[in-house]
Structure formats: C-alpha cells, structure tokens
Amino acid sequence: MSRLNELLQQAGNIGRNEDGSITRLGFSEGYFQALELLKARMKEIGMQVETDPVGNLHGILPGSDPEAKAIVIGSHLDTVIKGGVYDGMLGVTGAMEVAARLKDEGRTLRHPLEIWGFNMEESSILGGTFGSRCVTGMIDPDLPGYPEKLAKFDCSPEKVKAAKRDISKYECYLEYHIEQGDKLDHTGIDVGVVSGIVSIIDYKVTAKGMSNHAGTTMMANRKDALVGMAKLIVAAEERAKELNDTLVFTVGKISVSPGQENVIPGQAVANFEMRHMDKAVTDQFYADIQALAKEIPNCEFEFVNTIAKYSTPCDPRLIKLIDGVCTEKGISHVIMPSGAGHDANPMAHEGVPIGMIFVPSVKGISHQGDEYTKPEHIDMGADVLYQTVLKLDETGV
Ligand code: HGY
Ligand code: MN
Ligand code: MN
C-alpha cells in the first residue's frame, strides 16, 4: 500500500462505527484526534503547523521567493453521520503527499505551499462549509441566533472573526476529492477535471395543521401536518423530475410535533434541499414548490431560506492546466461539474482562482460507509495534483 493510502486508512479509523462507517463530525473528539494525527505528520514533513480559532488545520511549507503568493491545497477533515473514509480526508492527505514528495525529491517550490484542513464542511446547524466560510469571512457570526449555535461547539463570534484571513494573499486554491457520483466509474474514465460546483439551496419548510386526538378525530376532520408535508414532498419530487434532468431535490431531515403515537401531528418541519448549476432553475423550482403548497388542503406552509450557496465555476486557466497534466501523463479524463459542495466554493466566491481534481467513486456511493475509491486511483489523482502544483509553481495561475 502506498504511503498516501496508508495514511488515509489510518485517518479513516478515527470515528469508525461498528458497521464500518465513520462518524467524525466537525468539532467532535474524533475530529480533533484526526487533526492531531495530520498535524504530527505535517511536522515530520517539515511543515509549520497551526490550528486556527475555529479548528481549521493550516500547514505551511515555505517557498524560496518571499514575494510569491501561497498555493493552497485543501479539503475537510469532518464526515457526515455514518460517512466514509474518502470524502474530505482524501484532499488533505493527498495534499500532504504532495508536500512529502517535494521533500523526498529535495525540491523547494518558489511559492509557499499551504495545506488547509477545514472543520465542519458537512451540513450542520452552522450551515456547512463552516471552516472555509470563516477563513474567507463569509459568515456574519453576530446574526440573531448564531452566537447560541456557535456556543454549542464551544465556539464564538470572536473566534469566527479571528479565523478570517486576507484571501487576496493566495495564488489559488486546489482541492482533490472523490467524485461522489457514478459518472467516472460508469464510463471507466480515471480523472475528472472539475468545471464548476453546483448551487446548494436549502429551505426549512414548516407545515402547520392542528394537533388533536388520534382516536376521536375522524379522517374527514383532520388537519394532519405530516400528511400535508408528505403530499408536498411527493409533489415536489415529481416536479423536480419534470423540470430539469440535472436538478436534484432531497428531504434529508424531518421532524414532527408534538411527536407522540396517539396525537395527530400539528406541525411538521422538513429541510428541502435543491441543487443545480443554474440559479434560474432552482429559483423556478422554489416558486413551483410554493405554488404546489397552496393546493394542499388543511395545511399552511411557511418557507425560510437557510442555505444559499450559489454555483461557482472553476478557474478556466486551472481547468486547462489540470487537463494538460492529464493529457501529458496519458490519463483518461473528462471535464465535468461537481454535484457535491466543496470548500472550494467559498474560496471562489471570495475571488480565489479554484481548481478541482476528481477520482472515481466505485458505484458512485458516498455519504455512507461503503464509499470506496481504488488505491490506484488515489495515487493517480495525487500524482495529477503533484504535477499541477509543479506547473503552477513555474507559471502561476
Ligand atoms: O453536501 C455536500 O455536497 C458535501 O459533500 N458537503
Ligand atoms: Mn460530503
Ligand atoms: Mn467533501
């Protein structure tokens, strides 16, 4: 097994569940254990390391030119609940392989190389891509209710503000990630050169009906909020399929109140997440959902937008550069969009040129314990990343 694959599996054992999946949520004990593992390894490679006030890991390999801006490679160290080994961790360990290889080959880059391991990229009450949005200054931590949410993780508005960096000081941001979909695996293509990252839009939807006795309230007289919500979810799912073939819609979270077997639900709350590259499509879909909600009897619906991360293209120069590296190496590759969100998104929104490299996810499985990428693809993608960094060091973006 290669050094990179070994480190990846070692990190994957942190937060391992009995069923083989991994739960290493942002700010958890496992999260910081993984961070310390990587920190120690970075030190061995000769990197300067620090943990910032919101729990992001930063490793620096100094360059020879004091004027040159740093090339940043990053991804996240947290997983979803019952996630896999590769999502996020591949990007950080893959970046460390680049640094280790530079050391092996006795090369000093002209640009400093920074490796950023982000906290809480996965969805949470803090809104996802938390660490990278702190670094880029995209979070207003004083918004009503946010300080209380931060406090749940022993974090604070002061810490969020202190984590912000002057993002103009960086040459570019690269992220190496598994595809998480099945396009590469399905076509047998080895590498995806990412063209852009999809929008992620989320609404907290509340259905309000009327709570009543489950035994004495006849079916004709009910205002069951869960039934109303279920109808809306099914109608929205059908509409999503009709509207656009790359629009995706998910309800991954739902709760019912008061939540007892013998009480008709008076309220149901669900998260409606929608993703597409084109804002016009998600806007249209949201308008359609609102119209569908009006037709559902015995229920009032309320919509509150909770996440609005709009799509972002990767930098055309970086796409060309990564594409060129793959061509030179004779690696089969395709330029493709990302249906998953990434820490690269906040970077791009704050003006940093971004480039992303994907390797195949077997059967397109991700966000669960069976997530798997072949060891040879892990090494291949890291080599593409390495060659990309060498080229960037020569030419800049
Ligand atoms: O949800 C996402 O797309 C990402 O994996 N965090
Ligand atoms: Mn993920
Ligand atoms: Mn990820």
Side-chain angles (χ1 to χ4, degrees):
M1 210 193 268
S2 70
R3 171 172 60 190
L4 169 56
N5 275 288
E6 242 173 58
L7 179 60
L8 194 51
Q9 295 307 324
Q10 196 185 345
N13 284 330
I14 304 173
R16 185 81 72 173
N17 300 311
E18 270 179 16
D19 64 2
S21 67
I22 297 157
T23 303
R24 198 173 54 235
L25 303 180
F27 288 102
S28 66
E29 202 184 316
Y31 174 85
F32 286 106
Q33 209 180 318
L35 183 143
E36 289 305 324
L37 170 77
L38 300 191
K39 213 178 196 180
R41 193 62 71 90
M42 282 179 172
K43 282 185 187 159
E44 281 168 26
I45 304 169
M47 303 188 80
Q48 300 160 8
V49 284
E50 65 180 64
T51 308
D52 75 14
V54 296
N56 295 319
L57 170 65
H58 298 270
I60 305 170
L61 198 63
S64 61
D65 179 354
E67 301 294 309
K69 292 178 169 184
I71 296 169
V72 183
I73 318 178
S75 199
H76 55 103
L77 305 182
D78 64 314
T79 68
V80 291
I81 300 165
K82 289 182 172 264
V85 170
Y86 306 86
D87 176 8
M89 189 52 88
L90 173 62
V92 186
T93 54
M96 287 166 63
E97 180 56 26
V98 170
R101 206 166 146 187
L102 287 169
K103 189 182 176 214
D104 291 347
E105 296 178 6
R107 288 179 197 253
T108 303
L109 296 180
R110 192 165 72 74
H111 298 75
L113 180 71
E114 297 205 13
I115 299 176
W116 293 359
F118 291 113
N119 195 0
M120 218 171 230
E121 188 269 351
E122 300 294 359
S123 83
S124 74
I125 55 167
L126 300 182
T129 51
F130 171 73
S132 48
R133 287 188 301 123
C134 287
V135 167
T136 49
M138 289 174 77
I139 295 179
D140 176 356
D142 295 317
L143 282 178
Y146 208 73
E148 291 75 14
K149 289 180 184 170
L150 288 167
K152 290 193 187 333
F153 303 102
D154 201 18
C155 197
S156 64
E158 292 67 38
K159 287 183 181 178
V160 170
K161 288 173 198 166
K164 182 179 174 346
R165 301 202 164 206
D166 176 2
I167 220 75
S168 68
K169 284 203 325 223
Y170 300 98
E171 177 72 18
C172 62
Y173 175 86
L174 300 174
E175 189 160 346
Y176 173 32
H177 209 282
I178 51 166
E179 182 204 338
Q180 305 183 272
D182 65 0
K183 291 184 183 65
L184 294 175
D185 191 49
H186 192 69
T187 52
I189 296 173
D190 290 319
V191 165
V193 182
V194 179
S195 54
I197 302 170
V198 81
S199 290
I200 305 179
I201 315 294
D202 194 281
Y203 289 91
K204 181 177 165 192
V205 183
T206 304
K208 291 180 182 166
M210 196 181 129
S211 206
N212 209 337
H213 196 290
T216 60
T217 317
M218 292 300 104
M219 297 310 281
N221 302 330
R222 292 179 179 219
K223 292 183 176 175
D224 185 327
L226 180 59
V227 170
M229 180 64 87
K231 285 180 179 164
L232 183 60
I233 293 171
V234 172
E237 200 226 9
E238 277 166 15
R239 181 65 192 133
K241 287 183 192 159
E242 279 165 19
L243 187 61
N244 190 289
D245 61 3
T246 55
L247 171 69
V248 287
F249 164 65
T250 307
V251 178
K253 211 168 136 187
I254 186 162
S255 65
V256 168
S257 167
Q260 200 169 1
E261 289 87 334
N262 58 353
V263 185
I264 296 166
Q267 183 168 296
V269 180
N271 279 79
F272 281 33
E273 195 212 69
M274 54 196 78
R275 303 186 183 203
H276 196 272
M277 288 303 288
D278 185 353
K279 182 174 182 294
V281 174
T282 46
D283 283 352
Q284 179 63 55
F285 184 47
Y286 175 53
D288 291 351
I289 290 175
Q290 284 180 303
L292 289 165
K294 290 206 174 85
E295 286 166 24
I296 293 170
N298 305 322
C299 247
E300 294 291 321
F301 288 89
E302 192 183 281
F303 296 83
V304 177
N305 178 240
T306 52
I307 295 175
K309 293 177 190 167
Y310 290 106
S311 65
T312 179
C314 289
D315 188 276
R317 296 160 299 178
L318 288 171
I319 294 173
K320 201 169 157 207
L321 204 142
I322 300 166
D323 182 83
V325 165
C326 293
T327 305
E328 252 176 48
K329 293 229 124 201
I331 293 172
S332 63
H333 61 286
V334 62
I335 296 177
M336 62 181 294
S338 171
H342 299 287
D343 291 302
N345 187 314
M347 296 294 158
H349 276 290
E350 292 307 298
V352 182
I354 62 160
M356 287 196 71
I357 299 162
F358 276 173
V359 282
S361 295
V362 173
K363 296 192 182 133
I365 293 170
S366 186
H367 278 187
Q368 60 119 304
D370 291 334
E371 181 181 273
Y372 181 67
T373 294
K374 291 180 187 153
E376 54 269 35
H377 279 137
I378 297 291
D379 293 328
M380 189 185 286
D383 187 41
V384 172
L385 181 63
Y386 182 70
Q387 303 299 338
T388 301
V389 168
L390 292 187
K391 280 215 168 17
L392 266 171
D393 193 46
E394 274 172 31
T395 60
V397 175

